[in-house]
Structures are given as C-alpha cells and as structure tokens.
Amino acid sequence: MRPNLLKPILYLITRGATTETTTPEAVEFQEILTQVSAAVAAGISLIQLREKNLTTRVLFELTLRVAMITRGSPTRVLVNDRADIAAGAVADGVHLTTRSLGADVIRKSFGAQFLIGSSTHSLAEARAAKEGGADFVVFGPIFDSSSKKEYGPSLGVDQLSRVVRELAPFPVLALGGISMTNAKECLDAGAAGLAGISLFREPERLKAIMNAAKEFVRGDLK
C-alpha cells in the first residue's frame, strides 16, 4: 500500500555541500540539520539527503539524526541511492537515480512500506519506475537549471503535462529550475508537487513557500 502523500508534495533536496572530509561537527553537517528542522516546522512533505560525497559512516550518522528530527511528523526522509543506509537508520526510503538499482529490486528487497522515489527524464523512464513499484517520480528538468545540465535541455511544461496524463493518478513531481515564479505553471500542468534544491535552500522561507504552494492548488484538489 502506497503512503498517502498530501498534495502539493514539496520535496526538499539537500544541496550536496558536504565532502568526504565532512564530520558530524562540521558546519555543513549542522546546516543540514537546521534546514531539516525548519522543513519539519513548515510541513514540507519529503526530504532527500543528496550528500553523495560523504563517507558511509558519516552519511549513516546524518541519516540517523535527520530521522530523529522528523520522527512523529508528516515529513518523510529519503536517502539518495543508498537504500541500505536508509533502512539501517530507520529513514522512510530511498531516492533512485537513473544509475541506481531498479525500483522493482528495491521493492522486493525492502518491502511494501519502504518509500521509493525515482528521478526520470523521459516518459519511458517514468513509466518504468511506476511499473517497477516506485511511489512517485521526479520528472525534469522542466526549466533551465545549472545543476541539471548533464541531463540535456529543459523538457518544458508541455512534456510534464504529457507524463502526468499518461501516468495518472500516479504522482509526478516537477524538478529543474523551479521557482515561486513558475511553480503554479507546473501545478496547473498536473504535477503532484515540486522538487528542488535552490527553491528550498533558505530555511527561513520554507513556511512561506509551503503556504504559497497551498494557495496555488486551493480549490483544485478534492
């Protein structure tokens, strides 16, 4: 049974500022904890720990601390690519990239309650993730984004709308160059929510972003 993710789903992705030399005492480690605490207070739906350069030991420690902060709240925590660390630290799930194991493998290994998100850049990838047992997909880049240039040119809102229609009612989140200027455009196209790094970077703005997103969809959701 898939978890009930209330719309609009806001998916905060950490910015990957940590390195292999980062320790739990480091400023960048503590900044993530501050950001997570603000996200929980704001009611952000999902958090992805996208700290690819941390050592396994420190990533586990970070996940453990973040899971403790979010425990008892509606905010769910996913670890980028490392389902083993997510499960070991009692986080909620994993976010898969196009280089990760398939959602079907993760589902079989970690069970029905393990939350699985997948990054996708085409309708075919999104459909495969859905059929493999993912709980949602992130689709993009929708707009130009410096962090997503490796995935090619922006796909645009029309492509987002097509994927949403083809996979409905499966949740599709918009990613790539998302701002409060274009967020409504993505939600109007049928996106179940918004994902991003820069959009959620400033902890003090998270509550305002959540309130604005709710206003964008008010009256459109049953």
Side-chain angles (χ1 to χ4, degrees), residues 15 17-18 22-38 51 54 58 61-62 65-66 69 203:
R15 60 194 180 97
T18 55
T22 295
T23 68
E25 292 73 36
V27 171
E28 63 270 22
F29 187 104
Q30 297 300 320
E31 286 177 343
I32 294 172
L33 301 184
T34 298
Q35 187 180 28
V36 168
S37 295
E51 301 303 312
L54 286 177
V58 177
E61 178 66 22
L62 175 64
R65 293 201 194 182
V66 169
I69 293 171

Side-chain angles (χ1 to χ4, degrees), residues 3-6 9-10 39-47 69-78 92 115 210:
N4 181 27
L5 298 173
L6 297 178
I9 301 168
L10 296 187
V40 171
I44 298 296
S45 317
L46 300 170
I47 294 171
I69 293 171
T70 61
R71 191 163 298 144
S73 78
T75 302
R76 310 289 186 91
V77 179
L78 290 79
D92 299 287
L115 188 60
M210 171 60 85

